[in-house]
Amino acid sequence: MAPKDRTRPKTQAQVQKPAASTKMMRVAVAGTGGLALSIAYWLMEEATHQLLLLSRSEKPQLAEEYDVEVVDYDDAGSLQHALLGVDTVISTVTGDAQLNLINAAVQCHVRRFMPAEFEGSISRRPVDSQSDPLDRGKGAALQRLEFYRGSIESTVFTCGVFYERFAPHGLAGAGLGIGSGIAGEGAYMVNLRNMMGAAPIYDPLNNLVYICMTSAQDVARFVVRCLDLDEWPRELRMCGERVSVWDLLATIQEVRGPFETGNIAYLTMNDLTTELTLAQHQGDILRLLRTHHLIATVQGRYDFTHPNLTPQIFGVPTEPFRQWLSRTWVGQ
């Protein structure tokens, strides 16, 4: 018997639909990974703004389609030169590179900055980012942007878990999350190729565990549409689909076939705590990261019930997870 949903959705005022705009802006996208290139594609496809891609190295193939500028993230002069005349920066780089990019944006009077977030809501993270094993420098970037709030407007783009975690070759196959350490196929809950997995179904209070999910293409498209909003709130939240882990596993089995006996483990928080201890004892970094992500899932890090961006605002539908999954695994 399927578990019952013991949660009630909350509601919150939506972001207002932007009025038609003829203002052309120069938008810099920092990075050349999968998400950056998706944003670049939709910006060129659906907007009239000028695009500048910031790259650490020469990219001749990209330069055939886009305006690409090579930057040294450790050189303030290089960054400031690239950002002259830029209205908005969308970052997909993290760590010190992003901190330096923020400093340069302020020096060049850039109006808006979107940091490299693109996961769960910031309200569900540890208050002390230094104690967060999944932070990867994001907390420091948010603190820096808060310090400069009087000089530059910023927002966090929240979208939950990328569908691409469940794609052939995982996030890495789509050029996403390469620096996270757990971007490979089967790194999060389920390996769909061999239909094996370990996933948390209930939290310690016996409530169903939920996650929000969105495809990277839908995220990129919404990011581009948000460029024309008159004001950016501190957090822009979208969700392609909110689903319990139980129902997620059911959908996966409908598309890929059932788990064989013994190939799926339903983990409790006690199981995860034990797993974390073992990983720490063995010094297994990959196992540690995987376990931290599952613990964060149980704690609701990737769940939210009050998106303020919806398909109705921009007239752009999001792809259902089942449809995406069926399409992605055709022929695999």
Side-chain angles (χ1 to χ4, degrees), residues 21-30 39 43-44 47-54 65-71 78-90 105 108-114 152 227-228 232:
S21 174
T22 58
K23 179 183 177 182
M24 181 181 292
M25 298 178 288
R26 187 160 173 78
V27 179
V29 177
I39 293 170
L43 199 153
M44 297 292 285
T48 59
H49 306 306
Q50 295 179 342
L51 167 67
L52 174 65
L53 273 179
L54 304 182
E65 298 183 61
Y66 305 116
D67 182 7
V68 180
E69 179 150 353
V70 176
V71 296
S78 172
L79 291 173
Q80 290 176 24
H81 179 269
L83 295 182
L84 288 175
V86 167
D87 176 90
T88 301
V89 173
I90 300 169
C108 292
H109 306 289
V110 170
R111 183 170 66 98
R112 284 175 161 175
F113 194 104
M114 184 181 289
I152 192 169
L227 293 172
D228 292 323
W232 276 1

Side-chain angles (χ1 to χ4, degrees), residues 164-174 185 193 324 328-330 332:
E164 284 75 10
R165 279 206 174 275
F166 306 102
H169 312 297
L171 286 176
E185 186 172 287
R193 192 175 301 278
W324 175 89
T328 304
W329 280 90
V330 168
Q332 296 291 326

Side-chain angles (χ1 to χ4, degrees), residues 189-244:
M189 289 202 282
V190 183
N191 187 315
L192 279 78
R193 192 175 301 278
N194 57 23
M195 288 303 291
M196 297 181 66
I201 303 297
Y202 292 106
D203 69 13
L205 298 179
N206 208 33
N207 294 316
L208 282 173
V209 173
Y210 271 76
I211 59 173
C212 290
M213 304 188 297
T214 317
S215 76
Q217 289 298 317
D218 285 339
V219 170
R221 204 170 182 187
F222 269 67
V223 166
V224 169
R225 295 298 179 96
C226 289
L227 293 172
D228 292 323
L229 292 174
D230 291 334
E231 295 181 359
W232 276 1
R234 296 198 174 205
E235 187 172 3
L236 288 165
R237 300 174 299 275
M238 70 169 294
C239 176
E241 193 162 323
R242 180 175 181 262
V243 63
S244 69

Side-chain angles (χ1 to χ4, degrees), residues 145-205:
L145 287 168
E146 185 63 30
F147 178 79
Y148 285 130
R149 182 158 292 277
S151 302
I152 192 169
E153 185 180 18
S154 62
T155 190
V156 169
F157 202 92
T158 294
C159 57
V161 174
F162 284 123
Y163 286 0
E164 284 75 10
R165 279 206 174 275
F166 306 102
H169 312 297
L171 286 176
L176 301 167
I178 303 300
S180 68
I182 54 167
E185 186 172 287
Y188 182 63
M189 289 202 282
V190 183
N191 187 315
L192 279 78
R193 192 175 301 278
N194 57 23
M195 288 303 291
M196 297 181 66
I201 303 297
Y202 292 106
D203 69 13
L205 298 179

